[in-house]
């Protein structure tokens, strides 16, 4: 796990793997050397002999890709975020420093990295006495520079930037001794290069000694897939998905195939979506059987517009219905949020907005994920803040339950003690005192348990306690309403002093005249029973530590959403299924990060290798197939893919090209794209159909300032004019209608 707090000295250095020291040892000449790892690079094969050789295959490409990304940042150094350093203090180790940045550097917006630099743990930065506009500014005339690594950046639950950071430097920083004439210190600048947290997480997964202690079954199949590939070719054809599910799940108590089919039939999916989900579920349960020959990986092939996100959300909803712990990952925060948002919407639709979401958790860095709207209900950072007020020792759930129980049990003695302590002559009545005390306790208790019931999994609370809490607050609501009536004031004392059983005959012998007072007595006694039971049996944390609450939330969630990289922080034994969205956009070695979880029994990869692959900076790595995904490799070896074959997005005259070129004519056009309304025409003329081609004869391509990206300003002007005409055409149609 990446350390966010805690050790900041020698222990902090030991927390990081050898990869950090290796990169700190690179000189800028090494970083800019495209041939640094060329001799060590080999084309990554499609199959492997053993786990050790499999893991070692990715080490050199990983280092080369990191070098290429750092080189790219150096070439574009003038555009990289930077900050002035206000002070530095050396730690015991001469390469570890406490660092503070100018306050202006902390003012950039959380969701948008601006020119000002806000450091993050895992950042590599370059330290220089000038604000670099070009790489030559750093190295000109032997100017000193250092590369440093940010190891500490405050607690991840803090909402404000830390006062200081901890860095490991590639050498000694002579900041205190280096001065201009006149005795003024040189200004020191830090320029961002890249964040290597994901590289570190992959590096740890490539450690063979660590890998053999992790999820053996899934990694073994990744390495030895050809040994099971022939099994998949023997699957029976012509059998319905529900028959497959029934046949493969006989004797498995955790799944009711007819119940699954019944739930699935209400989701308005097409046949290919139903088949993909049912085949995944049947494979999942078959692979969990001892000595099963079924693959532990399922592949869903989702071309553009085929309802991939809807299919995933329904699959996840079913997993939650059958209480099957599931981790859902994607390459980016945006992709994770899209899946989580769709899943959350489906839960609310199916539960009519009354769902408890304590078992559902969205994890991620708060600066990068930028969670808004309904997603805050399941976002870890917000959940920790909500539960903190419920779990603190002096004002949390237990304190409030005890306070109310004490009031109901010992209200009269509390009142007498209050009178003894009072120095004023105008003392309140017993009725006024108890009503004021109840009004002070009840709303906060209700608010606290509203958060608990929503943000804590029902399984942790237990069914009995959950029902007791619901019953308690129904009674307290009635008690609160009746307790506001002034005419019962004289009767309250006897009501609070009554401590026997709930016998109506005993209550009727008291000097109580109103039905309201009798009802209040009964409610009070019943509430006391429930309060006593909850205080003895409810097992919830009592802590003011955000990190303890965070671990509690992660440990007890059964549906977790996060990026592939941040899944390295998870340690949850409930997670048996891994679902990876946009799996074809991930380098295979990245997929190792979530696959390390030891409880995982099955993985479902959803993607489309015909679309954009993973981004690879290094041409050497690209030639070595470093960017190839696990989805693509398994597919190339013959692994069965469940194709989503109905596309709902493109006009048929547009979809015909990708259908023929990439999908072997297997895609069908949904009824909605064949309807007349789907063909929107805002501009007059035969050329403005579903698609148009424009020949820009006078265009000229130029390179940008860095000599990389190409631009054609004539094409830009033509596009702007088309958009203006299109806008006018749309406005005229809207006005006409």
């Amino acid at each position: 796990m990446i350390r966010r707090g805690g050790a900041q000295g020698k222990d902090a250095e030991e927390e990081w793997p050898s990869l950090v020291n290796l990169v700190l040892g690179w000189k800028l000449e090494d970083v800019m050397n495209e041939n640094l790892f060329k001799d060590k690079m080999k084309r990554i094969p499609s199959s492997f002999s053993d786990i050790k050789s499999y893991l070692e295959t990715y080490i050199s490409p990983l280092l080369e890709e990191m070098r290429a990304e750092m080189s790219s940042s150096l070439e574009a150094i003038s555009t990289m975020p930077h900050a002035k350093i206000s002070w530095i203090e050396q730690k015991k180790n001469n390469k570890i420093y406490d660092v503070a940045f100018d306050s202006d550097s902390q003012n950039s917006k959380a969701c948008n990295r601006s020119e000002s630099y806000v450091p993050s743990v895992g950042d590599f930065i370059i330290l220089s006495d000038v604000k670099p506009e070009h790489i030559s500014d750093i190295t000109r005339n032997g100017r000193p520079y250092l590369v440093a690594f940010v190891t500490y950046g405050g607690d991840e639950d803090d909402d404000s930037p830390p006062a200081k950071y901890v860095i490991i430097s590639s050498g000694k920083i002579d900041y205190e001794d280096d001065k201009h004439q006149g005795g003024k210190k040189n200004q020191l600048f830090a320029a961002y290069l890249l964040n290597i947290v994901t590289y570190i997480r992959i590096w740890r997964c490539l450690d063979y000694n660590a890998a053999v202690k992790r999820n053996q079954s899934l990694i073994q199949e990744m390495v030895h897939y050809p040994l099971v590939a022939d099994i998949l070719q023997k699957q029976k054809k012509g059998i319905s998905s529900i028959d497959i599910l029934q046949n493969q799940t006989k004797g498995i108590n955790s799944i009711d195939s007819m119940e699954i089919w019944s739930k699935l039939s209400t989701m308005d999916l097409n046949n290919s979506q139903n088949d993909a989900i049912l085949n995944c579920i049947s494979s999942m349960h078959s692979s969990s059987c001892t000595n099963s020959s079924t693959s532990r990986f399922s592949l869903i092939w989702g071309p553009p517009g085929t309802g991939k996100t809807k299919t995933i959300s329904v699959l996840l909803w079913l997993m939650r219905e059958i209480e099957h712990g599931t981790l859902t990952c994607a390459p980016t925060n945006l992709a994770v949020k899209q899946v989580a948002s769709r899943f959350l919407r489906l839960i609310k639709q199916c539960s009519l907005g009354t769902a408890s979401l304590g078992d559902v958790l969205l994890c991620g860095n708060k600066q990068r994920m930028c969670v808004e709207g309904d997603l805050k209900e399941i976002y870890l950072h917000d959940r920790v803040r909500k539960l903190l007020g419920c779990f603190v020792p002096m004002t949390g759930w237990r304190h409030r339950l005890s306070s109310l129980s004490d009031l109901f049990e010992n209200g009269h003695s509390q009142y007498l003690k209050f009178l003894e302590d009072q120095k004023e002559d105008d003392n309140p009545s017993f009725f006024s005192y108890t009503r004021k005390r109840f009004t002070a306790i009840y709303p906060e208790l209700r608010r606290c348990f509203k958060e608990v019931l929503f943000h804590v999994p029902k399984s942790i609370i237990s069914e009995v306690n959950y029902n007791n809490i619901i019953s308690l607050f129904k009674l307290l609501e009635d008690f609160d309403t009746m307790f506001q009536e002034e005419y019962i004031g004289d009767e309250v004392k006897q009501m609070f002093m009554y401590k026997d059983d709930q016998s109506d005959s005993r209550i009727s012998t008291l000097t109580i005249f109103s039905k309201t007072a009798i009802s209040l007595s009964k409610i009070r006694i019943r509430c006391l029973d429930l309060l006593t039971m909850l205080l003895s049996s409810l097992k919830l944390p009592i802590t003011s530590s955000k990190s303890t609450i965070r671990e509690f939330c992660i440990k007890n969630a059964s549906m977790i959403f996060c990026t592939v990289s941040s899944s390295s922080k998870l340690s949850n034994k409930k997670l048996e299924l891994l679902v990876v969205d946009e799996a074809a956009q991930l380098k295979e070695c990245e997929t190792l990060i979530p696959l390390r979880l030891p409880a995982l029994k099955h993985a479902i990869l959803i993607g489309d290798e015909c679309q954009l692959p993973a981004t690879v900076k290094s041409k050497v790595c690209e030639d070595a197939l470093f960017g190839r995904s696990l989805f693509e490799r398994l597919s190339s070896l013959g692994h069965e893919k469940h194709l989503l074959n109905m596309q709902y997005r493109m006009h048929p005259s547009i979809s015909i090209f990708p259908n023929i070129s990439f999908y072997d004519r297997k895609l069908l056009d949904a009824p909605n794209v064949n309807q007349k309304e789907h063909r929107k025409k805002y501009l007059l003329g035969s050329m403005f159909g579903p698609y148009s081609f424009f020949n820009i004869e006078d265009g000229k391509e130029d390179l940008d300032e860095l000599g990389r990206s190409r631009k054609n300003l004539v094409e830009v002007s033509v596009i702007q004019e088309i958009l203006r005409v299109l806008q006018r055409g749309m406005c005229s149609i809207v006005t006409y209608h």
Side-chain angles (χ1 to χ4, degrees):
M1 179 180 292
I2 299 302
R3 176 169 295 202
R4 295 279 180 177
Q8 300 177 24
K10 185 177 180 181
D11 291 342
E13 184 179 28
E14 293 172 352
E15 178 72 13
W16 300 97
S18 57
L19 179 64
V20 173
N21 288 329
L22 191 154
V23 178
L24 285 173
W26 289 350
K27 299 178 181 178
L28 292 191
E29 299 80 42
D30 296 327
V31 174
M32 304 303 293
N33 181 6
E34 296 181 358
N35 297 317
L36 186 64
F37 293 98
K38 189 173 182 179
D39 294 341
K40 299 179 181 179
M41 299 282 284
K42 295 180 181 179
R43 186 180 175 91
I44 299 173
S46 295
S47 56
F48 306 86
S49 58
D50 54 62
I51 292 180
K52 195 168 190 285
S53 63
Y54 169 78
L55 297 175
E56 289 174 348
T57 299
Y58 287 96
I59 291 176
S60 292
L62 185 74
L63 293 171
E64 163 58 19
E65 180 64 11
M66 188 164 47
R67 182 213 61 79
E69 190 174 348
M70 189 178 289
S71 172
S72 177
S73 295
L74 283 169
E75 290 178 358
I77 194 70
S78 63
T79 66
M80 303 305 288
H82 65 275
K84 294 179 182 178
I85 291 178
S86 56
W87 61 265
I88 292 178
E89 180 179 319
Q90 188 174 6
K91 308 286 282 185
K92 292 180 180 179
N93 186 311
N94 63 3
K95 292 185 179 181
I96 298 180
Y97 295 83
D98 286 339
V99 179
F101 295 86
D102 279 356
S103 57
D104 289 346
S105 304
Q106 309 297 318
N107 294 331
S108 63
K109 293 182 180 179
C111 299
N112 184 19
R113 188 186 283 273
S114 70
E115 185 180 357
S116 294
Y117 171 50
V118 180
S120 296
V121 171
D123 284 356
F124 262 101
I125 57 179
I126 190 161
L127 304 175
S128 176
D129 60 358
V130 296
K131 174 189 170 185
E133 298 294 336
H134 188 270
I135 186 173
S136 62
D137 293 338
I138 303 171
T139 57
R140 187 185 297 124
N141 299 324
R143 174 175 275 122
Y145 72 88
L146 290 169
V147 176
F149 177 74
V150 181
T151 71
Y152 171 80
D155 192 292
E156 64 184 298
D157 290 312
D158 289 342
D159 293 319
S160 57
K164 67 177 182 179
Y165 297 82
V166 179
I167 64 171
I168 300 177
S169 172
S170 58
K172 189 175 186 302
I173 301 175
D174 295 324
Y175 180 62
E176 293 291 336
D177 301 325
D178 191 9
K179 299 184 178 182
H180 283 305
Q181 290 181 356
K184 293 183 178 180
K185 294 179 183 177
N186 272 335
Q187 182 65 65
L188 192 61
F189 290 86
Y192 170 82
L193 292 178
L194 79 161
N195 185 283
I196 69 162
V197 165
T198 297
Y199 286 107
I200 287 173
R201 290 165 178 167
I202 296 172
W203 182 263
R204 285 174 171 155
C205 290
L206 298 180
D207 182 345
Y208 174 71
N209 293 326
V212 295
K213 299 174 184 176
R214 292 172 183 167
N215 196 314
Q216 282 290 290
S217 57
L218 286 167
I219 295 179
Q220 284 279 7
E221 184 170 329
M222 289 172 65
V223 174
H224 300 298
Y225 178 74
L227 299 178
V228 297
D230 59 325
I231 297 169
L232 296 166
Q233 305 302 324
K234 298 176 182 178
Q235 291 190 357
K236 297 180 179 179
K237 305 298 181 181
I239 301 178
S240 69
S241 296
I242 188 61
D243 288 336
I244 294 173
L245 189 63
Q246 288 175 327
N247 290 336
Q248 294 189 350
T249 59
K250 287 180 180 178
I252 300 177
N253 296 326
S254 59
I255 185 171
D256 184 328
S257 58
M258 291 310 298
E259 181 185 0
I260 290 285
W261 180 251
S262 176
K263 290 178 182 295
L264 198 55
S265 63
T266 66
M267 288 294 143
D268 191 30
L269 299 178
N270 63 44
N271 289 338
S272 67
Q273 292 169 330
N274 278 327
D275 287 346
I277 290 174
L278 290 171
N279 274 283
C280 285
I281 293 176
S282 62
S283 296
M284 178 181 73
H285 284 276
S286 285
S287 63
S288 65
C289 298
T290 307
N291 299 323
S292 170
S293 58
T294 304
S295 173
R296 295 180 183 273
F297 290 90
S298 294
L299 274 55
I300 297 179
W301 189 12
T306 54
K308 176 174 63 68
T309 305
K310 181 178 181 179
T311 305
I312 297 172
S313 62
V314 173
L315 171 65
L316 296 177
W317 174 74
L318 283 171
M319 292 299 98
R320 186 174 188 249
E321 289 291 296
I322 64 175
E323 300 179 353
H324 201 87
T326 305
L327 169 62
T328 303
C329 294
T332 65
N333 287 312
L334 179 60
V336 170
K337 289 196 294 183
Q338 287 176 337
V339 176
S341 180
R342 191 68 172 269
F343 171 70
L344 188 58
R345 197 187 319 158
L346 182 59
I347 290 178
K348 292 187 174 184
Q349 288 173 354
C350 295
S351 63
L352 301 178
T354 60
S356 171
L357 299 173
D359 61 319
V360 183
L361 198 61
L362 171 63
C363 303
N365 182 284
K366 61 180 182 293
Q367 278 80 24
R368 297 189 181 98
M369 186 158 272
C370 302
V371 173
E372 297 177 345
D374 288 350
L375 283 178
K376 284 180 172 289
E377 297 174 349
I378 61 172
Y379 184 44
L380 178 59
H381 181 68
D382 287 283
R383 179 162 290 173
V384 168
R385 288 195 301 160
K386 293 277 189 181
L387 290 178
L388 179 62
C390 301
F391 289 170
V392 290
M394 299 305 296
T395 58
W397 67 272
R398 189 169 189 85
H399 170 79
R400 299 194 186 282
L401 284 179
S402 298
S403 297
L404 186 59
S405 177
D406 193 27
L407 176 64
F408 279 178
E409 180 73 23
N410 305 304
H412 187 255
S413 59
Q414 286 184 9
Y415 174 66
L416 295 177
K417 180 69 168 61
F418 171 79
L419 293 180
E420 288 179 10
D421 297 337
Q422 281 290 93
K423 296 180 180 179
E424 300 177 7
D425 295 333
D426 186 18
N427 292 321
S429 66
F430 179 71
F431 171 65
S432 297
Y433 170 81
T434 51
R435 188 167 66 174
K436 184 178 180 180
R437 290 277 293 127
F438 178 78
T439 304
I441 298 171
Y442 168 59
E444 288 302 311
L445 178 65
R446 180 179 58 192
R447 181 201 59 78
C448 178
F449 273 92
K450 181 180 179 182
E451 302 288 5
V452 167
L453 293 183
F454 190 83
H455 289 293
V456 175
K458 195 173 180 179
S459 59
I460 300 302
I461 298 172
S462 87
E463 189 75 26
V464 172
N465 284 330
Y466 185 90
N467 292 332
N468 284 341
I469 293 170
I470 298 298
S471 299
L472 174 65
F473 282 94
K474 285 181 180 177
L475 291 169
L476 289 176
E477 185 177 355
D478 293 338
F479 188 92
D480 183 44
T481 301
M482 290 186 284
F483 205 40
Q484 304 304 318
E485 300 180 11
E486 295 284 350
Y487 68 87
I488 65 168
D490 295 336
E491 304 164 319
V492 169
K493 180 178 178 181
Q494 294 183 62
M495 183 189 78
F496 266 81
M497 291 180 67
Y498 179 71
K499 297 184 179 181
D500 224 330
D501 58 30
Q502 302 178 55
S503 168
D504 287 345
S505 61
R506 287 298 305 275
I507 293 176
S508 64
T509 62
L510 298 172
T511 312
I512 297 178
F513 302 101
S514 68
K515 292 182 179 178
T516 300
I518 294 175
S519 296
L520 281 170
S521 294
K522 293 180 179 180
I523 292 173
R524 169 183 160 271
I525 293 169
R526 178 60 182 144
C527 285
L528 263 175
D529 290 340
L530 292 171
L531 288 165
T532 302
M533 284 190 282
L534 289 172
L535 283 167
S536 64
S537 61
L538 196 57
K539 306 300 181 185
L540 293 174
I542 302 173
T543 179
S544 56
S545 166
K546 288 183 178 180
S547 61
T548 300
I549 298 172
R550 189 191 323 121
E551 291 171 9
F552 170 81
C553 292
I554 292 173
K555 178 183 176 182
N556 293 297
S558 57
M559 303 293 296
I560 297 182
F561 296 83
C562 65
T563 62
V564 166
S565 177
S566 60
S567 68
S568 68
K569 298 181 180 181
L570 303 180
S571 55
N572 183 318
K573 296 180 180 179
K574 294 183 178 181
L575 303 176
E576 298 181 88
L577 172 66
L578 171 66
V579 175
V580 182
D581 188 21
E582 304 292 1
Q585 293 183 20
L586 283 166
K587 305 175 187 72
E588 179 164 347
C589 58
E590 289 179 279
T591 314
L592 288 170
I593 299 174
L595 284 173
R596 87 195 197 292
L597 289 170
L600 290 178
K601 297 177 181 177
H602 197 84
I604 299 175
L605 309 179
I606 302 142
D608 178 15
E609 71 270 39
C610 298
Q611 296 183 53
L612 290 174
T615 301
V616 176
K617 290 275 188 181
S618 167
K619 182 65 168 62
V620 178
C621 284
E622 185 178 350
D623 293 341
L625 300 182
F626 182 60
R628 183 179 60 189
S629 65
L630 175 62
F631 185 100
E632 183 179 356
R633 184 171 70 85
L634 292 182
S635 177
S636 70
L637 291 171
H639 197 297
E640 182 185 21
K641 296 184 293 186
H642 305 292
L643 175 67
L644 305 181
N645 66 0
M646 184 78 72
Q647 73 88 13
Y648 297 86
R649 184 181 301 163
M650 293 174 278
H651 189 280
S653 58
I654 298 176
S655 67
I656 190 171
F657 167 70
N659 197 4
I660 293 173
S661 303
F662 300 106
Y663 303 107
D664 197 25
R665 298 180 182 269
K666 293 178 180 178
L667 294 187
L668 305 174
D669 294 315
N672 71 301
V673 300
N674 283 302
Q675 294 174 358
K676 185 178 180 180
E677 293 78 9
H678 195 74
R679 181 168 179 167
K680 296 179 174 65
K681 187 172 182 180
Y682 298 110
L683 299 178
L684 298 176
S686 58
M687 69 180 300
F688 294 109
Y691 62 88
S692 304
F693 291 99
F694 295 85
N695 181 24
I696 312 299
E697 295 182 348
D698 300 323
K700 180 183 177 182
E701 286 189 341
D702 298 311
L703 293 174
D704 65 6
E705 313 81 63
L706 299 175
R708 292 184 188 169
S709 300
R710 296 182 180 274
K711 57 186 177 182
N712 188 320
L713 296 180
V714 177
E715 289 182 354
V716 172
S717 298
V718 172
I719 291 170
Q720 287 176 331
E721 181 60 25
I722 291 173
L723 290 174
R724 279 192 289 267
V725 175
L726 180 61
Q727 184 183 34
R728 289 197 294 268
M730 292 176 66
C731 290
S732 63
I733 290 176
V734 171
T735 303
Y736 174 78
H737 285 288

